[in-house]
Amino acid sequence: MADLISLSPCDGLLPVTIGSVTLSEDLPDAMTSLAPYAGQEKALSAALEAAHGMGFPAINRSTGKAGARAIWFSQGMALVQGVVVAPELTEFAALTDQGDAWAVVRLDGDGAEDVLARLVPVDLRRQSFKRGHTVRAELAHMMASITRVGPDAFQVMVFRSMARTLVHDLKTAMAAVHARG
Amino acid sequence: MRVTCPNCGERDRREFYVKGAALARPAADAALDEWHDHVNLRDNPAGEVHELWFHEMGCGAWIDVCRNVVSHEVISTAWVSDLGGTR
Ligand SMILES: [Zn+2]
């Protein structure tokens, strides 16, 4: 039997710190997308609350906290990170394992906003994008999911196949922000 | 050009893919002339048009965008699913 070695999406690339900003990889224990069936949105939210203590997130918002989070992920879909979703939720929604599909990184530190401002055509400054807010938006030509998870911390996700490009573009922007002092 | 996605809010044009005119599809058994009109013939007005836009870099919603092709003003946007289609 072959001894398989599992590699994370950003294996060998992270963490990296440039100036006051650190980019590191996050490996949530599980990731599952939830797409409620027509008319089942309220029932799904109640079941999610009962099973995992967080409701189905509103558009552009997330619920829960570090370790168990539900992020609005696109039209009619949320992503649950950190916990294995209770199987009884299949009554109300289509559940899809996304565990191996996404690269998840954390951009943390004073100036993280300035780094993202170079790559994302959406206003992610604190006054308009608060903790728990999330967007699906372009990040350097990639379809990203960006969530503010702390005062100066963002979670950024792209398809796993784009992990190296994501790290390259974020590092380039981090260096450019740092060079301005 | 900025387009207001009903989910995501005002976004840059680069986040969207444009499919073309938003048209009512003829019935499957409609006459050949009617299908020919649907597939090939357009009015090309110098004014307001309705188009199907896809928020490709964002939420993945199909949106009916009404815009003025002379002034480039975006007049309205709506979920296609709210206009009688199915999700
Ligand atoms: Zn959108």
Side-chain angles (χ1 to χ4, degrees):
Chain A
M1 187 72 186
D3 188 16
L4 300 178
I5 303 165
S6 80
L7 297 178
S8 70
C10 302
D11 184 76
L13 303 173
L14 296 176
V16 62
T17 299
I18 302 176
S20 56
V21 181
T22 296
L23 182 65
S24 52
E25 181 168 29
D26 237 348
L27 294 170
D29 287 339
M31 287 195 278
T32 311
S33 61
L34 274 61
Y37 297 128
Q40 297 298 312
E41 289 84 356
K42 284 207 174 90
L44 173 65
S45 189
L48 187 61
E49 180 82 52
H52 301 297
M54 53 195 176
F56 193 86
I59 293 169
N60 295 320
R61 296 289 184 270
S62 62
T63 57
K65 53 186 188 302
R69 205 188 293 281
I71 300 169
W72 177 81
F73 211 52
S74 67
Q75 167 93 324
M77 187 182 287
L79 184 78
V80 172
Q81 289 181 316
V83 290
V84 177
V85 171
E88 57 265 30
L89 268 59
T90 53
E91 187 184 342
F92 310 111
L95 271 54
T96 309
D97 181 8
Q98 305 278 353
D100 286 332
W102 293 82
V104 186
V105 300
R106 182 185 172 94
L107 189 68
D108 203 343
D110 187 24
E113 276 179 12
D114 302 325
V115 171
L116 290 177
R118 288 173 176 255
L119 301 170
V120 183
V122 176
D123 185 0
L124 299 178
R125 290 175 300 167
R126 196 173 307 169
Q127 56 265 43
S128 50
F129 192 71
K130 300 176 169 63
R131 187 200 288 252
H133 288 199
T134 190
V135 287
R136 290 301 307 261
E138 178 186 342
L139 188 153
H141 309 293
M142 291 173 281
M143 306 155 156
S145 161
I146 302 166
T147 308
R148 187 187 282 273
V149 293
D152 285 309
F154 296 89
Q155 173 180 277
V156 179
M157 301 176 63
V158 298
F159 294 140
R160 183 186 179 122
S161 59
M162 301 170 182
R164 190 169 290 267
T165 307
L166 175 71
V167 170
H168 169 81
D169 283 319
L170 283 171
K171 276 171 67 179
T172 304
M174 288 161 70
V177 167
H178 179 57
R180 291 184 67 89
Chain B
M1 183 188 266
R2 308 278 286 177
V3 176
T4 301
C5 169
N7 287 323
C8 305
E10 193 182 278
R11 292 296 180 90
D12 193 87
R13 181 188 62 84
R14 84 185 88 154
E15 289 198 348
F16 297 86
Y17 166 83
V18 188
K19 180 169 186 287
L23 304 168
R25 181 196 284 260
D29 59 354
L32 187 60
D33 276 354
E34 205 177 325
W35 272 103
H36 172 71
D37 189 340
H38 177 72
V39 173
N40 298 303
L41 303 182
R42 298 289 177 270
D43 290 337
N44 195 24
E48 292 182 14
V49 296
H50 280 267
E51 291 169 323
L52 295 177
W53 287 48
F54 176 50
H55 197 187
E56 184 177 31
M57 287 287 176
C59 64
W62 278 100
I63 302 161
D64 180 299
V65 175
C66 177
R67 66 186 184 97
N68 188 308
V69 296
V70 177
S71 67
H72 301 301
E73 180 191 3
V74 175
I75 294 145
S76 67
T77 54
W79 281 308
V80 171
S81 53
D82 276 358
L83 301 175
T86 50
R87 196 163 66 164

